[in-house]
């Protein structure tokens, strides 16, 4: 029975794919695409357009391969023509690109007629991706301590070294990102990248800074990894 399940559904003796086989291939590819989209969206920031595209991508690749009668070389050439149009308006993350390749691989296997292998391949890789998301492997705990600090000071306060003692007390490291004037030059706005020693001391850190800058505006936000980083 296993040999039948994992055998090719398309007959090698004919160049025409029967309609039931064609529909079965698309149906399996769509189910695989929906499964991969659901797994990808678990604990991941995503857009609706990307998830919908991911669900449809295996079926699209499947049809391309079926229309070239399983000729992988011709199928890759057709897919290469599609790549002349940018897939997305912004560069994707490594996870997005990897999931796209996963969906395309599953669609290629479906298009070759090996539906059992396509389902098995998708289940193994999908479960692996779910587990890796669940355990949050590769997460950098230091990101929870990284902050963007913005301080407003009066013009008569020399900002060079004005907060060094507080930075030494509350941060592991810090660097000045930018300095600009505001309010007709009567204020300076300073921006720093800092890594806190203990995130729980954030309020104490801000309170000490307020005593130093005359209780002017201070803001602190988490640093975020940009979407175009791999």
């Amino acid at each position: 029975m296993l040999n039948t399940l994992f055998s090719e559904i398309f007959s090698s003796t004919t160049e025409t794919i029967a309609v039931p086989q064609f529909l079965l291939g698309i149906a399996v590819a769509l189910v695989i695409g929906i499964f991969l989209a659901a797994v990808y969206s678990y604990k991941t920031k995503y857009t609706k357009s990307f998830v919908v595209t991911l669900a449809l991508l295996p079926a699209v690749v499947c049809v391309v391969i079926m229309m070239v009668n399983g000729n992988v070389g011709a199928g890759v050439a057709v897919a290469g023509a599609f790549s002349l149009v940018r897939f997305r308006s912004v560069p994707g993350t490594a996870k997005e690109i990897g999931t796209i390749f996963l969906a395309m691989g599953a669609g290629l296997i479906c298009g070759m007629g090996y539906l059992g292998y396509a389902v098995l391949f998708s289940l193994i890789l999908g479960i692996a991706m779910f587990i890796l998301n669940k355990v949050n492997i590769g997460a950098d705990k230091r990101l929870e301590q990284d902050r963007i600090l913005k301080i407003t000071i009066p013009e008569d306060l020399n900002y060079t070294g004005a907060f060094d003692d507080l930075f030494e007390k509350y941060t592991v490291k810090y660097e000045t990102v930018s300095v600009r004037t505001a309010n007709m030059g009567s204020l300076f706005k300073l921006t720093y990248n800092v890594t806190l020693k203990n995130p729980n001391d954030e309020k104490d850190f801000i309170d000490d800074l307020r005593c130093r800058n005359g209780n002017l505006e201070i803001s602190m936000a988490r640093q975020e990894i940009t979407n175009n980083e791999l």
Side-chain angles (χ1 to χ4, degrees):
M1 181 177 178
L2 284 177
N3 291 335
T4 303
L5 182 62
F6 290 97
S7 62
E8 184 180 1
I9 66 170
F10 304 139
S11 174
S12 59
T13 60
T14 178
E15 296 182 357
T16 304
I17 299 175
V19 174
Q21 296 172 332
F22 179 80
L23 295 177
L24 178 61
I26 293 179
V28 173
L30 282 174
V31 172
I32 290 174
I34 294 172
F35 168 72
L36 294 178
V39 173
Y40 171 82
S41 60
Y42 178 75
K43 285 190 175 181
T44 303
K45 293 182 179 179
Y46 60 89
T47 61
K48 179 181 177 180
S49 61
F50 179 77
V51 172
V52 171
T53 301
L54 187 62
L56 297 177
L57 188 58
V60 174
V61 176
C62 175
V63 171
V64 171
I65 297 300
M66 286 193 294
M67 290 301 99
V68 295
N69 294 324
N71 188 322
V72 178
V76 172
V78 173
F82 292 157
S83 68
L84 295 176
V85 181
R86 296 184 63 183
F87 179 75
R88 298 188 69 198
S89 58
V90 295
T93 63
K95 184 176 181 179
E96 289 174 336
I97 295 172
T99 309
I100 290 170
F101 278 117
L102 173 58
M104 292 181 65
L108 190 150
I109 299 173
C110 283
M112 294 293 294
Y114 297 101
L115 302 185
Y117 284 111
V119 172
L120 183 62
F121 167 77
S122 302
L123 282 175
I124 293 174
L125 273 295
I127 292 173
M129 183 165 60
F130 177 83
I131 293 175
L132 293 176
N133 287 340
K134 184 72 174 179
V135 301
N136 205 23
I137 189 171
D140 191 348
K141 299 299 183 181
R142 293 174 299 177
L143 294 178
E144 299 179 1
Q145 302 170 250
D146 292 340
R147 298 288 191 276
I148 298 175
L149 174 64
K150 296 181 179 181
I151 308 174
T152 302
I153 62 173
E155 61 177 338
D156 58 349
L157 177 62
N158 184 2
Y159 58 82
T160 303
F163 306 103
D164 285 356
D165 58 330
L166 297 180
F167 287 147
E168 293 291 339
K169 178 179 179 181
Y170 291 103
T171 70
V172 177
K173 62 179 181 179
Y174 64 93
E175 62 176 346
T176 304
V177 177
S178 66
V179 178
R180 67 184 181 89
T181 60
N183 197 25
M184 302 295 292
S186 62
L187 299 174
F188 284 94
K189 290 185 178 290
L190 315 176
T191 302
Y192 300 90
N193 283 338
V194 300
T195 301
L196 300 177
K197 291 181 179 178
N198 185 355
N200 295 327
D201 293 336
E202 183 176 303
K203 183 181 183 304
D204 294 336
F205 184 27
I206 293 176
D207 287 340
D208 287 347
L209 290 172
R210 288 170 53 206
C211 296
R212 193 71 56 88
N213 80 329
N215 205 28
L216 294 176
E217 181 182 2
I218 297 175
S219 68
M220 187 176 293
R222 289 190 60 179
Q223 296 181 21
E224 297 291 342
I225 298 178
T226 56
N227 287 335
N228 60 348
E229 292 184 1
L230 294 180

